[in-house]
Amino acid sequence: MDCRIIKTPGEGTLAILNRRKGSGPKAALETPDAVGLVQGKLIEMVCAADIAEKAVGVTVEDIRGSCPQNMIMLAIFGDTASVESALDEIKHKEKERKW
C-alpha cells in the first residue's frame, strides 16, 4: 500500500480528484488544506477508509481507477494535521495488521 500527502493542493489537482470521485456528494468539496492519497488493494482501501474516519475529522472519498467500478485509491481531505494523523494511523495499523 502506498501513501502520499499533498499539502495545499492546486486547483488542477482538486479538479482531477473531484472528477474521479466515486461516492459521496457529487458537489466539489471545499478547498482542503491537504489531501492524503492511499493506493492499494480494494480490501486495504475499505479498511483504510474506516481507520481514517475513526481516527480524526477527515472526509474520505474513493477515487475511481481505469473503469468506473474499479476503486484503487482513496483521497483523504482535511486540514494538514488531520490528514497527516489519518495517514499515520493507517500506516501504523497496516504495519501491525490490526484491521
Side-chain angles (χ1 to χ4, degrees):
M1 182 167 47
D2 291 326
C3 298
R4 303 282 192 281
I5 188 168
I6 301 171
K7 297 177 182 178
T8 316
E11 287 182 32
T13 302
L14 292 173
I16 291 168
L17 292 171
N18 277 311
R19 280 193 307 271
R20 300 195 67 81
K21 284 189 335 184
S23 66
K26 295 301 176 191
L29 294 167
E30 291 184 33
T31 304
D33 292 337
V35 178
L37 301 174
V38 183
Q39 184 177 25
K41 296 177 186 174
L42 179 59
I43 191 169
E44 294 171 334
M45 297 303 91
V46 173
C47 292
D50 187 60
I51 291 166
E53 288 180 335
K54 290 177 179 175
V56 288
V58 293
T59 301
V60 180
E61 293 282 348
D62 60 301
I63 304 298
R64 294 184 179 174
S66 57
C67 58
Q69 67 273 20
N70 185 12
M71 180 182 75
I72 56 168
M73 188 168 69
L74 295 177
I76 302 169
F77 299 92
D79 64 81
T80 303
S82 294
V83 172
E84 287 175 338
S85 293
L87 291 177
D88 287 345
E89 187 67 15
I90 289 167
K91 290 174 190 175
H92 176 73
K93 297 282 186 187
E94 180 192 21
K95 186 176 181 181
E96 293 184 352
R97 289 289 182 188
K98 292 192 175 181
W99 50 343

